Amino acid sequence: MAGTPSGLTAADRVLVAGASGETGHELLSVLRPTDLTVRATTQSYANVDTLERLGADEVIVADFFQSADAVAAVEDCDVVYCALGTPAGVRHTLGGKLVDRTGVINLITAAMGADVDYFVHESAIGVGSSKTGMALPARLLIRGSLRAKQDAETALRRSGLGHTIIRPGKLTNAPPSDDPVVGEGGDSVSGSIPRADVARLMAAAPFTPDARDRTLEVVCRRGLNESPRNLVDIDWAFDRLEEEEREQTEGDQTRR
């Protein structure tokens, strides 16, 4: 489905890359009630049943270090939601070959080749110009993954794909706040945000004209660490997701 400079008008199949992670699970929950066909990826066959229970219509076992797996994952998809990330460990500090860089760039390249309409990438506060949003000790501890995420962000901006980069603050498993604080320009906000809020913003981004081709720092109001700066007012297309949900519910009722 063709996108426009004002945002996507339609989409059929979407990919959730990194669906077996915690943000990926939240994304599946947000997308499940819609009439979108949701394809999910995981590194392990052991996660397939879980992802199907969470709402994935299709599940692909993929290793994004392999370019061919990235190509297979994006085939026939209109939107890519990228929630890939390196599990906690020493590699966050040392860097090297990380899925945050190599895997994401393989996915971006595959999306370009498949004429994907929109790419939403979960990055992190602390990357690039947003480094003031994360305390120095924390940045040093995960400096390897922050550099990898910065390289992935750069690749996405240069790709020509319609995109939104979401840089969340410290991720929590708290209930959704539905009160995100959105900044732009790096030195904007710091604090924490529930993964459920991040998933909702990511899901709405392709259909939100104000979010197109922007890099946004996000926390929730109750998680703010200090006074925010450079805030932006974005009219997130949550109503689009709710409309998709209503249409799906009405269709289910009609079939009964």
Side-chain angles (χ1 to χ4, degrees):
M1 299 293 177
T4 70
S6 59
L8 280 183
T9 57
D12 290 329
R13 178 177 279 103
V14 302
L15 174 71
V16 179
S20 52
E22 291 178 292
T23 302
H25 283 185
E26 295 289 351
L27 264 169
L28 292 179
S29 296
V30 173
L31 296 169
R32 181 174 189 171
T34 72
D35 64 358
L36 297 166
T37 298
V38 180
R39 177 183 294 164
T41 73
T42 178
Q43 284 187 295
S44 172
Y45 285 97
N47 296 323
V48 172
D49 288 345
T50 298
L51 297 182
E52 290 177 341
R53 287 197 300 271
L54 289 171
D57 300 294
E58 306 165 1
V59 180
I60 291 180
V61 177
D63 176 1
F64 286 106
F65 287 115
Q66 304 299 320
S67 297
D69 282 14
V71 170
V74 303
E75 184 178 6
D76 296 328
C77 287
D78 304 301
V79 175
V80 171
Y81 295 108
C82 179
L84 295 175
T86 301
V90 68
R91 287 183 298 168
H92 274 289
T93 303
L94 299 179
K97 187 179 179 182
L98 299 177
V99 73
D100 310 67
R101 177 190 293 109
T102 306
V104 175
I105 291 176
N106 281 343
L107 188 60
I108 292 167
T109 302
M112 293 167 62
D115 292 326
V116 166
D117 289 313
Y118 211 90
F119 197 109
V120 184
H121 177 47
E122 180 191 20
S123 185
I125 283 179
V127 174
S129 59
S130 68
K131 63 183 180 180
T132 54
M134 178 183 289
L136 179 59
R139 293 205 311 274
L140 291 175
L141 187 62
I142 61 171
R143 60 186 181 274
S145 62
L146 292 178
R147 286 195 296 266
K149 290 179 185 296
Q150 182 170 352
D151 291 345
E153 285 189 9
T154 300
L156 181 53
R157 293 190 195 98
R158 292 175 176 173
S159 69
L161 293 167
H163 68 271
T164 303
I165 298 171
I166 301 288
R167 291 172 169 172
K170 181 180 179 181
L171 293 167
T172 75
N173 291 321
S177 71
D178 293 324
D179 191 18
V181 180
V182 182
E184 186 176 27
D187 185 15
S188 62
V189 298
S190 65
S192 63
I193 185 169
R195 288 179 173 87
D197 283 351
V198 175
R200 197 159 180 250
L201 295 173
M202 290 180 69
F207 310 103
T208 301
D210 289 345
R212 187 178 179 88
D213 297 339
R214 297 176 81 170
T215 300
L216 305 169
E217 295 86 43
V218 298
V219 298
C220 69
R221 195 163 302 279
R222 69 188 182 205
L224 276 169
N225 284 345
E226 56 186 49
S227 298
R229 299 172 293 276
N230 303 323
L231 296 188
V232 292
D233 184 16
I234 292 190
D235 184 17
W236 295 97
F238 297 133
D239 56 338
R240 171 61 190 273
L241 297 176
E242 292 162 359
E243 179 183 351
E244 297 263 9
E245 181 177 351
R246 284 195 301 271
E247 290 175 354
Q248 177 69 18
T249 301
E250 290 169 0
D252 291 343
Q253 291 172 345
T254 301
R255 287 190 290 272
R256 291 174 191 162

